[in-house]
Amino acid sequence: MIKRIFKYFLMILLFFITFQLQAQDIKFYKDSTIASFYNDKIYFVFDNNGNIGGVGLSPELSQVRYNDIQVIYSAGFFLSGYSKNELWTNGVAAVVLIDDYLPGNVSSLENNQKNKIYSITTSDKPFSKNWQEWKTAVEQGAYFYDGDNNGIYDPIDHNSNGLWELNEDRPDLLFDKTFFTVYNDGLPSNRRRLHDVEQQGIEIRQTVFASSQLEFLKNTIFIRYSILNTGLVADTLNDVIFSFFVDPDIGYYLDDLIGCDTTFNSVFAYNDGPDSLFGERTPSVYYSILQGPAVRTSIPSDTAYNRMGELIGVTKKQGFRNSRLASHTSPLIPVSYWFPQETKRNIRALMTGRNRLGDFYNVCKDTTYGMLLDIDCDEVNPLFWFSGNPFKQEGWINSKPVDQRHFANTESFELIKGEPQDIIISITVGHGYNYISELAVTRELVRIVFDEWNSNFASAINFEELVNNPAELTYSFILEQNYPNPFNPVTTIRYSVPGKKYLNQLSSSDIVNTTLIIYDILGREIKTLVNESKIAGTYEITFDASRLASGVYLYRLTSDSFSQTKKMMVIK
């Protein structure tokens, strides 16, 4: 009995110490206008007007780092749209000297001391100072849980027991640390690099959240951009595009490559060999549009989701859907670096899948920055630059390591006065047993991140249970029936590769060769959909049968020592 009590005491003490260390990992600079924190091996730093990295501290404090080596020099965003038929483009991108946003709400004084970064963690006691300071964050647009349903954030201990309960208000805490700040596009045009763009009255309420306690999420940082049109210029801003902009520096900055993964609405940066700073174990970084803005479709069955955690819930918009990744581009093509005469139209072109000069990339003719492997150039979509599979070495691959910069672009949407559009971006770092495996590892982590979003961040509430239960993920061999079936011409096949692993302890034995092949009814091979090494996990792939005749076909999955075959039917 005494041993059991002592054991529980040690567990509680360890849990308390873990949270105290976590709180100590959070630091604020310059009157809380810059914040940094550690999320396991990721060091993340941002400021109160939209910069991620590139925040003006010393170099080692200004970069996003992994294992204390830089992986992002700076990141930010661009917005572009039309107001009364006039094109505007603005953004925050420190590396190219574009910094169009000021701290605070629209019309706020630039140096107002309230325009800072607010934080909340699970180590904060209920109704404590940080809970009370969240009132100012709520005044600036931060979300909160309204336990007493009175529409006002009033963190009061109604039961006087020192514990938070469901009938009491609390800050919008997602996972074990959450940060909030707000900024607006109020920089005067004479102080902008794009001098011909005026303020549009846009506010961005930014929330950064992460968990270092959940094994399967500790390699990921989440950023929610809640974008509001205040109606200062127009009640509706049309044809708006949001672009997440990144200058990745994975270790040594001149040997980076980039690509995009349309299956996961993601773009990524990686090395194709050892790095002088990271060595053989070079990480890769995925930047994913986890939740795109709501795009109008006018189809009643379509639904756009805004997932805000299990306490606040999910809001839905019928006749809309969440935007996908619409394009991936780089400003380095065809000119190596941006020039001072960059215009709003140059940047808008990059945000719509073109190069800076407004032309679509001609992958058939220009092989300076990329190459084609086992694919006809006419089959390549020019909107998604470097959309091939570097791990498998097929498709359109970036082949020129340089100091990269790139855009992940959404589809166009509307910004209607008073109706915020919530966009969630995730940044995920993966580290394999060598540079060859790191993309597979990172991609699997991103798969789990999307599962977490689909569950409305279900782990954010019960993460304490997972602290004492490390995230060992187990997968069985499963080949699901394709859907739809029968189909014409496209269907989706979902399958699981068997295995059991800890995501942070991958070795070569955790990666197995996997094939998925289509056959006709006589057993003749029609198309190989998958032929690559996979780590244990659940995957899906689309199959286009537009060139096939109507009839019954077979698809066979083989992974390690497992094999299974199912039938599908094409009807035209």
Side-chain angles (χ1 to χ4, degrees), residues 28-72:
F28 293 92
Y29 307 87
K30 298 183 179 180
D31 297 325
S32 296
T33 61
I34 299 173
S36 72
F37 63 90
Y38 279 91
N39 205 56
D40 194 56
K41 297 178 181 179
I42 298 177
Y43 168 81
F44 195 78
V45 61
F46 61 102
D47 66 18
N48 66 336
N49 68 319
N51 286 296
I52 297 168
V55 295
L57 300 176
S58 62
E60 65 273 11
L61 293 178
S62 286
Q63 304 157 344
V64 177
R65 304 168 79 84
Y66 182 81
N67 272 348
D68 289 328
I69 302 174
Q70 68 175 358
V71 289
I72 297 175

Side-chain angles (χ1 to χ4, degrees), residues 17 64 69 120 123 133 148 174 177 190 268 331 389 528:
I17 291 173
V64 177
I69 302 174
I120 194 79
S123 61
E133 280 202 344
D148 54 15
L174 287 165
K177 42 187 169 282
N190 62 359
F268 54 85
N389 187 332
T528 298

Side-chain angles (χ1 to χ4, degrees), residues 78-82 87-90 194 239 241-243 326-334 338 342-361 382-385 407-410:
F78 284 95
L79 276 172
S80 180
Y82 287 86
L87 175 67
W88 53 268
T89 302
N90 60 43
L194 305 178
D239 200 14
I241 297 173
F242 175 89
S243 299
S327 62
H328 170 235
T329 56
S330 170
L332 304 187
I333 303 169
W338 289 15
E342 205 70 58
T343 70
K344 61 186 179 182
R345 297 190 182 280
N346 293 141
I347 299 173
R348 176 76 179 193
L350 287 161
M351 298 173 74
T352 56
R354 297 166 172 82
N355 65 24
R356 297 168 55 259
L357 304 181
D359 301 320
F360 285 108
Y361 193 111
L383 295 175
F384 300 100
W385 295 14
F407 288 73
N409 307 311
T410 71

Side-chain angles (χ1 to χ4, degrees), residues 139-430:
E139 291 172 3
Q140 295 182 332
Y143 292 125
F144 67 95
Y145 170 71
D146 190 11
D148 54 15
N149 293 309
N150 67 355
I152 301 171
Y153 175 63
D154 47 359
I156 299 171
D157 186 2
H158 294 300
N159 304 317
S160 301
N161 59 5
L163 301 174
W164 173 77
E165 295 176 345
L166 284 171
N167 66 333
E168 297 165 338
D169 292 359
R170 66 172 295 162
D172 174 31
L173 174 62
L174 287 165
F175 302 121
D176 48 289
K177 42 187 169 282
T178 297
F179 304 83
F180 173 82
T181 194
V182 61
Y183 39 89
N184 72 91
D185 71 331
L187 191 74
S189 59
N190 62 359
R191 290 168 55 188
R192 298 187 183 208
R193 185 168 179 181
L194 305 178
H195 299 304
D196 57 345
V197 177
E198 300 292 340
Q199 179 183 12
Q200 301 299 313
I202 295 172
E203 284 182 9
I204 299 183
R205 292 94 176 262
Q206 177 183 291
T207 306
V208 175
F209 53 102
S211 174
S212 56
Q213 306 304 314
L214 291 167
E215 182 72 28
F216 52 91
L217 291 179
K218 67 183 184 181
N219 286 34
T220 294
I221 308 294
F222 300 89
I223 308 159
R224 178 172 61 203
Y225 297 93
S226 186
I227 306 173
L228 178 70
N229 172 21
T230 64
L232 183 69
V233 175
D235 287 346
T236 301
L237 302 177
N238 296 298
D239 200 14
V240 178
I241 297 173
F242 175 89
S243 299
F244 191 65
F245 172 78
V246 189
D247 176 10
D249 286 348
I250 301 178
Y252 180 58
Y253 72 103
L254 288 177
D255 63 354
D256 296 335
L257 296 167
I258 57 174
C260 68
D261 186 337
T262 56
T263 303
F264 286 127
N265 290 329
S266 301
V267 306
F268 54 85
Y270 65 104
N271 288 160
D272 66 348
D275 177 78
S276 59
L277 296 178
F278 276 106
E280 181 78 9
R281 297 194 65 206
T282 304
S284 60
V285 187
Y286 260 65
Y287 319 96
S288 307
I289 301 175
L290 198 61
Q291 176 178 291
V295 176
R296 188 186 302 274
T297 67
S298 300
I299 301 173
S301 59
D302 283 346
T303 305
Y305 299 92
N306 185 11
R307 306 192 192 277
M308 306 174 73
E310 295 219 318
L311 279 178
I312 297 178
V314 180
T315 59
K316 302 177 182 180
K317 292 185 72 172
Q318 301 301 131
F320 291 76
R321 61 170 173 77
N322 293 100
S323 168
R324 308 179 187 91
L325 177 72
S327 62
H328 170 235
T329 56
S330 170
L332 304 187
I333 303 169
V335 182
S336 295
Y337 287 95
W338 289 15
F339 292 109
Q341 65 267 26
E342 205 70 58
T343 70
K344 61 186 179 182
R345 297 190 182 280
N346 293 141
I347 299 173
R348 176 76 179 193
L350 287 161
M351 298 173 74
T352 56
R354 297 166 172 82
N355 65 24
R356 297 168 55 259
L357 304 181
D359 301 320
F360 285 108
Y361 193 111
N362 191 330
V363 65
C364 298
K365 294 182 179 179
D366 187 351
T367 58
T368 305
Y369 291 87
M371 60 182 177
L372 296 175
L373 300 172
D374 299 323
I375 191 171
D376 189 327
C377 68
D378 293 329
E379 296 179 12
V380 176
N381 188 334
L383 295 175
F384 300 100
W385 295 14
F386 314 126
S387 55
N389 187 332
F391 187 79
K392 191 178 176 182
Q393 284 290 288
E394 71 172 17
W396 183 12
I397 305 295
N398 184 200
S399 60
K400 186 173 182 178
V402 293
D403 181 11
Q404 302 281 1
R405 296 160 192 175
H406 53 153
F407 288 73
N409 307 311
T410 71
E411 300 171 75
S412 62
F413 57 95
E414 295 176 321
L415 275 179
I416 299 173
K417 178 181 178 180
E419 299 180 12
Q421 285 271 18
D422 284 8
I423 299 170
I424 302 177
I425 302 294
S426 61
I427 300 175
T428 302
V429 183

Side-chain angles (χ1 to χ4, degrees), residues 483-525:
Y483 180 83
N485 189 46
F487 66 97
N488 178 28
V490 176
T491 190
T492 298
I493 302 170
R494 187 177 174 89
Y495 63 95
S496 294
V497 175
K500 186 175 182 180
K501 66 182 185 304
Y502 290 90
L503 285 176
N504 65 334
Q505 297 175 356
L506 284 170
S507 66
S508 58
S509 62
D510 295 309
I511 301 180
V512 296
N513 188 59
T514 301
T515 61
L516 179 61
I517 302 175
I518 308 296
Y519 300 89
D520 65 16
I521 196 65
L522 299 177
R524 294 174 295 198
E525 184 174 325

